[in-house]
Amino acid sequence: MLEYDSEVRAIIDAEWERQSSVLRMIPSENIVSDDVLEALGSCFVNKYAEGYPSKRYYQGQENNDALERLACARACALFGAEHANVQSYSGSPANMAAYMALCEPGDRTVGLGLNSGGHLTHGWKVNFSGQLYEPHQIEVDRETERLDYDEVAKLCLEIRPKVLFIGTTSYSRAFDFARLREIADACGAYLVTDIAHVAGLVAAGAYPNPVPYADIVTMTVHKTLRGPRGGMILCKAAHAKALDRAVFPGIQGGPHMNQIAALAVALGEAARPEFKAYGHQIVKNAQHLAAALTARGLRIVSGGTDCHLMVVDLRAKSIDGKTAATALERAGIVCNFNAIPYDPNPPRHPSGIRLGTPSLTTRGFKEAEMERVADWIVGVLDAPDDEEKIARTASEIREFLKAYPYHHRAGA
Ligand code: DSN
């Protein structure tokens, strides 16, 4: 492979070495199976397919059509959806398609604020969702750091948004989707849920499924779902036409058929019993890690987690999130700095870090390993300038990881 390009080969090898020798704890990252990788690198990379099955703008589509139909059928079966669109390049365009299918520019929307765990595309002011529409943001309750559904209902009745857009990048609690549907109905809004982070947990039955309640459900497929980089959208049959039109030709041209091939493989893997066990183990690992960090003197935002991630408030250790994340990286623990709700510190140096367990769980980590992870993390946070200790931790982790392979076959 890459016989004639030693420069790129060397960089890929270095990245493989980096990924395999550190604790990868960014919750939006995972490790795809060899089969997903093979499909992603298949001959579908050579083919254009603008349009939808049986309605394309190029010839030579019989295999593209079969592939896209298979991916959509697998998506609908896995999540219990009426319609699937598998063409979105990633999560932000998937969210854009949801807005375009349901709203006109200038319409009012309600979404979860960034510091409360929402995403840029849920109405943040510098994002298209905050500029093309009229966004109103909900924040979590100051005390519980959880969504207060009475407050959501109050805001929605006051604002009367066209869309209630609920999803997360760092909110760790399970949503009450039935309640959100009631709130949307009471104010005449559509309900869109963005399950980019928890899609794999939903597929595994380890997190509530919003599909019965939401008009549109968007997701990325590369996080807990363990597929290739990409987006996917599910919706009620009534929105299918508007949604498909929003994706193509509304937002994008030809779909990436190699990405859809890899997604079809990932959806097949996610339907297997091993994946159910995997999804539940991700959550058990996250809950165990949250408890282990709490026992070592750290505070977890909202007191714990119902999913694969948590935000850790570092103020008790007198260290900011960025300093912590860079020290942890030197020690072989890769995460990201993150704001906590109502963060008194600036976004570039917020008070927290965000940790997740999907990729460690793929490598075979269970609760016992989470105890080791908690020790390593707290050891670094207690002495972020002790370079000797940090180097020792990095080499301990590198050694430890040799027993946990960095690739896996389908469903394993
Ligand atoms: N970048 C993703 C995450 O890390 O949560 C969200 O877009």
Side-chain angles (χ1 to χ4, degrees), residues 127-211:
N127 183 261
F128 79 86
S129 59
Q131 294 180 344
L132 300 183
Y133 306 100
E134 185 193 306
H136 297 263
Q137 302 244 276
I138 315 162
E139 303 300 340
V140 291
D141 180 76
R142 266 182 196 275
E143 291 302 311
T144 62
E145 297 174 312
R146 299 178 191 216
L147 206 54
D148 177 337
Y149 292 90
D150 291 337
E151 284 302 313
V152 181
K154 209 165 109 195
L155 181 67
C156 284
L157 281 174
E158 188 188 311
I159 302 296
R160 299 217 159 251
K162 189 81 174 281
V163 170
L164 172 57
F165 208 111
I166 291 292
T168 73
T169 55
S170 61
Y171 183 77
S172 65
R173 294 305 182 168
F175 287 119
D176 182 345
F177 292 120
R179 182 79 204 277
L180 289 168
R181 175 77 263 169
E182 270 172 33
I183 293 171
D185 285 344
C187 66
Y190 293 115
L191 176 63
V192 178
T193 59
D194 172 353
I195 58 164
H197 266 269
V198 294
L201 306 181
V202 172
Y207 188 95
N209 185 358
V211 167

Side-chain angles (χ1 to χ4, degrees), residues 226-273:
R226 219 162 54 176
R229 292 301 301 258
M232 186 166 90
I233 314 169
L234 307 171
C235 69
K236 301 285 182 216
H239 300 302
K241 210 166 158 192
L243 179 74
D244 285 351
R245 222 186 260 146
V247 174
F248 171 84
I251 296 172
Q252 57 189 55
H256 299 167
M257 295 310 296
N258 59 319
Q259 179 183 316
I260 292 174
L263 169 58
V265 173
L267 291 167
E269 290 176 1
R272 296 162 69 124

Side-chain angles (χ1 to χ4, degrees), residues 357-381:
T357 53
S359 100
L360 294 184
T361 309
T362 294
R363 290 189 82 160
F365 278 39
K366 294 210 162 66
E367 288 89 334
E369 286 84 355
M370 289 299 133
E371 289 289 325
R372 294 294 302 272
V373 172
D375 280 337
W376 282 318
I377 290 173
V378 174
V380 173
L381 296 179

Side-chain angles (χ1 to χ4, degrees), residues 292-304:
L293 293 173
T294 305
R296 288 161 179 76
L298 285 162
R299 192 185 80 83
I300 308 298
V301 167
S302 84

Side-chain angles (χ1 to χ4, degrees), residues 27-230:
S28 40
E29 295 181 353
N30 210 328
I31 310 162
V32 297
S33 72
D34 295 349
D35 290 356
V36 168
L37 264 188
E38 191 182 327
L40 195 60
S42 69
C43 58
F44 276 107
V45 77
N46 300 324
K47 188 67 193 116
Y48 247 109
E50 269 181 358
Y52 289 100
S54 300
K55 287 175 276 176
R56 307 278 191 193
Y57 290 83
Y58 298 87
Q59 300 312 115
Q61 298 296 338
E62 64 270 33
N63 299 315
N64 277 336
D65 284 4
L67 180 63
E68 188 166 345
R69 285 197 175 104
L70 178 65
C72 289
R74 286 185 177 182
C76 287
L78 189 63
F79 291 94
E82 292 173 9
H83 178 76
N85 184 306
V86 294
Q87 294 198 1
S88 245
Y89 296 149
S90 204
S92 297
N95 284 347
M96 184 179 239
Y99 285 102
M100 283 175 66
L102 301 175
C103 292
E104 296 300 324
D107 278 348
R108 290 184 296 276
T109 66
V110 166
L112 188 61
L114 208 53
N115 282 9
S116 289
H119 188 249
L120 290 170
T121 52
H122 303 163
W124 193 241
K125 51 187 179 281
V126 295
N127 183 261
F128 79 86
S129 59
Q131 294 180 344
L132 300 183
Y133 306 100
E134 185 193 306
H136 297 263
Q137 302 244 276
I138 315 162
E139 303 300 340
V140 291
D141 180 76
R142 266 182 196 275
E143 291 302 311
T144 62
E145 297 174 312
R146 299 178 191 216
L147 206 54
D148 177 337
Y149 292 90
D150 291 337
E151 284 302 313
V152 181
K154 209 165 109 195
L155 181 67
C156 284
L157 281 174
E158 188 188 311
I159 302 296
R160 299 217 159 251
K162 189 81 174 281
V163 170
L164 172 57
F165 208 111
I166 291 292
T168 73
T169 55
S170 61
Y171 183 77
S172 65
R173 294 305 182 168
F175 287 119
D176 182 345
F177 292 120
R179 182 79 204 277
L180 289 168
R181 175 77 263 169
E182 270 172 33
I183 293 171
D185 285 344
C187 66
Y190 293 115
L191 176 63
V192 178
T193 59
D194 172 353
I195 58 164
H197 266 269
V198 294
L201 306 181
V202 172
Y207 188 95
N209 185 358
V211 167
Y213 305 103
D215 291 279
I216 296 183
V217 177
T218 65
M219 67 191 82
T220 48
V221 296
H222 49 268
K223 298 182 171 99
T224 48
L225 193 56
R226 219 162 54 176
R229 292 301 301 258

